[in-house]
Amino acid sequence: MTASTANAQRFREFKMPDVGEGLTEAEILKWYVQPGDTVTDGQVVCEVETAKAAVELPIPYTGVVHELRFGEGVTVDVGTAIIAVDTDPGAGPAEVPAAAPQEAAADEEAEPQGRQAVLVGYGAAPSSTKRRARKPQPGVPAQPEPAKAALQAELNGRAAPAAPATPVAPAVQPAPAAPAGSAVPAAGRPLAKPPVRKLAKDLGIDLATILPTGPDGIITREDVHAAATPAAAPAEAPAPVAVAAAEPGTVDTAARERRVPVKGVRKATAQAMVASAFTAPHVTEFITVDVTRTMKLVQELKQDPDMAGLRVNPLLLVAKAFLVALKRHPEANAAWDEANQEIVYKDYVNLGIAAATPRGLIVPNIKDAGAKTLPQLASELGDLVSTAREGKTSPAAMAGGTVTITNVGVFGVDTGTPILNPGESAILAFGAVKLQPWVHKGKVKARQVTTLALSFDHRLVDGELGSKLLADVAAVLERPKRLITWG
């Protein structure tokens, strides 16, 4: 066994795990260990925030923390080593393997080192597929580093770097009409790792126009950033020194603005809302209803021994009313399968509850909510809300929702036009309950009134079906005894 192999087995690297839901990066929120601390297999070492939730990561090794590769607040690509552990600290000093660049972690063809961590357990062994080294093109001489830098600068529209003072042999100038993609083999597409391809796509850069500087002709992050840098202004046209005077009455607001990177839950929410708003044709209907009887029932349930220790509030009865209405109109509980051009009708209801958290809006759901009793529903609703506020909601808790309730009434808002959670058929907005004049038994009285709004996917739910669904929710809240007669 060579010294390098022994070191690799002794110093084990723990990589940012793949959540298994298509996420490519995560932000390190907090480290629970520091270099020199002893860790055991399965011990939580850090908390990270993905685009869906904050998750604590256990480490699959026992030993002493040798190095933390990234600090708190840093966003790291999935597959990148974030911590190194000395699994045999009593063996004395040894040479520690150097940390690999972040962009190389996604496709690293390294020898497998034990289990590869995912957020739930430890995944399957990595593929043994190897990438063949790129062969140089016949008749094309390898370019020295200065020539590569000059060509890359020309491709990026910038002036080439100054030549060294030492005389060099004249190089053959590339033909002006040669395409930028000539630096890439004609037989295949440019070589780049998935995070680098995503970066290029986000920046609007064509990988075929980039001259690779990585090993085996791989395009690196630095190459993409260099290609995205705007060209320098010509020396003969310098910017004017004098600054134009501000227009009368204008105010410079730059000093009073803050810019915050879009990431984590906020980024995922933005992408989901845009996708939903421009994919599913939304229809929103409204109804105002007298919920005085429901509010009285809430107070009675708080005194019921069967509900002792449970969280009883109006949202609980709204959720139950929604479930009863869906039971009467099961066609509204469906999903649109665009790929297969099918409508998927679901014989279960995973009821989502929109929750505002310090990290942004998330929508965990109660699995198979329609089959639960009122005490069971109250228990799960309370757990769901408290877990969300603590930022501990798991990605699994937010997957598979069918319909959602958003309680905008807690903010004193009458109602709204909620946007569907992607993949769901309907979302019910529950507005504030207020004392209002209302005709009750032929007389105008002060009654507790609220407004409900139901948004639904018009591909799945016709106007008649949506109207009946909303009317039934209102009917249950108006006369909650229908929970028994209809339920």
Side-chain angles (χ1 to χ4, degrees):
M1 180 183 297
T2 64
S4 60
T5 303
N7 285 340
Q9 293 183 352
R10 173 178 171 181
F11 292 92
R12 311 303 290 270
E13 294 180 335
F14 177 57
K15 299 179 180 181
M16 181 67 74
D18 181 0
V19 72
E21 296 190 15
L23 303 179
T24 60
E25 62 185 17
E27 177 185 355
I28 298 176
L29 295 179
K30 184 177 181 180
W31 281 108
Y32 296 129
V33 295
Q34 296 297 325
D37 291 351
T38 300
V39 294
T40 57
D41 187 350
Q43 177 180 338
V44 173
V45 294
C46 69
E47 181 182 25
V48 301
E49 182 182 37
T50 69
K52 295 188 176 182
V55 181
E56 292 182 333
L57 300 183
I59 195 165
Y61 310 125
T62 295
V64 175
V65 177
H66 176 76
E67 180 184 8
L68 304 182
R69 295 284 170 81
F70 299 93
E72 295 177 354
V74 178
T75 299
V76 182
D77 291 334
V78 167
T80 302
I82 59 175
I83 181 174
V85 176
D86 185 352
T87 60
D88 189 12
E95 181 181 353
V96 183
Q102 180 168 335
E103 69 271 5
D107 270 351
E108 192 68 52
E109 290 102 356
E111 182 180 348
Q113 298 181 356
R115 297 172 295 172
Q116 298 298 312
V118 294
L119 289 187
V120 180
Y122 299 97
S127 171
S128 60
T129 303
K130 301 286 186 178
R131 174 181 288 160
R132 294 181 299 172
R134 298 183 64 212
K135 297 181 180 180
Q137 298 185 46
V140 179
Q143 294 180 337
E145 292 302 323
K148 285 185 178 181
L151 179 55
Q152 182 68 70
E154 183 177 346
L155 290 173
N156 298 340
R158 302 195 301 269
T166 307
V168 294
V172 178
Q173 293 293 333
S182 60
V184 187
R189 64 174 184 169
L191 297 179
K193 302 185 185 304
V196 178
R197 292 185 180 278
K198 181 177 182 299
L199 175 63
K201 180 179 179 181
D202 293 343
L203 296 177
I205 303 298
D206 184 359
L207 289 175
T209 66
I210 299 178
L211 180 70
T213 62
D216 297 331
I218 296 177
I219 297 173
T220 66
R221 282 179 176 269
E222 288 72 17
D223 296 337
V224 176
H225 284 300
T229 304
E236 61 271 12
V241 178
V243 180
E247 292 290 335
T250 60
V251 179
D252 183 10
T253 59
R256 294 183 290 164
E257 297 177 347
R258 293 180 296 112
R259 291 180 177 267
V260 179
V262 179
K263 57 184 179 181
V265 175
R266 172 56 57 192
K267 182 177 182 180
T269 301
Q271 292 172 342
M273 292 299 96
V274 169
S276 176
F278 293 97
T279 300
H282 285 55
V283 173
T284 305
E285 295 185 341
F286 307 88
I287 191 169
T288 303
V289 58
D290 178 3
V291 294
T292 304
R293 292 186 179 93
T294 291
M295 300 304 290
K296 289 180 180 179
L297 179 57
V298 168
Q299 298 305 317
E300 293 173 4
L301 289 173
K302 288 182 178 180
Q303 308 302 321
D304 192 312
D306 291 336
M307 304 296 288
L310 298 175
R311 194 173 192 171
V312 179
N313 53 26
L315 178 62
L316 172 63
L317 293 186
V318 171
K320 192 63 176 178
F322 197 16
L323 292 170
V324 169
L326 285 168
K327 185 177 180 180
R328 287 168 58 86
H329 306 285
E331 300 86 359
N333 187 42
W336 184 273
D337 187 343
E338 181 67 28
N340 295 315
Q341 286 295 292
E342 295 175 340
I343 296 176
V344 183
Y345 292 100
K346 303 183 178 182
D347 297 329
Y348 59 91
V349 179
N350 290 344
L351 180 62
I353 304 295
T357 73
R359 295 191 179 100
L361 176 69
I362 63 173
V363 188
N365 60 76
I366 300 173
K367 301 295 190 286
D368 209 11
K372 299 186 183 301
T373 64
L374 191 64
Q376 290 173 339
L377 190 63
S379 176
E380 295 215 16
L381 184 60
D383 292 343
L384 178 148
V385 173
S386 60
T387 301
R389 288 176 178 171
E390 293 171 2
K392 302 299 182 181
T393 303
S394 67
M398 293 183 282
T402 61
V403 295
T404 291
I405 296 176
T406 176
N407 185 11
V408 297
V410 295
F411 306 110
V413 175
D414 291 336
T415 190
T417 54
I419 296 178
L420 293 167
N421 204 30
E424 299 185 5
S425 60
I427 179 170
L428 178 71
F430 173 36
V433 177
K434 298 179 180 179
L435 276 175
Q436 294 183 21
W438 194 265
V439 177
H440 178 66
K441 295 181 179 180
K443 296 181 180 179
V444 177
K445 297 182 178 180
R447 304 286 288 181
Q448 291 178 295
V449 177
T450 189
T451 300
L452 305 174
L454 181 71
S455 292
F456 50 87
D457 186 341
H458 216 341
R459 297 174 300 179
L460 301 165
V461 181
D462 293 333
E464 179 185 6
L465 178 58
S467 299
K468 288 181 176 179
L469 178 63
L470 180 59
D472 278 2
V473 175
V476 172
L477 295 176
E478 184 179 18
R479 294 183 180 272
K481 69 179 182 180
R482 291 189 172 109
L483 289 171
I484 301 173
T485 58
W486 289 359

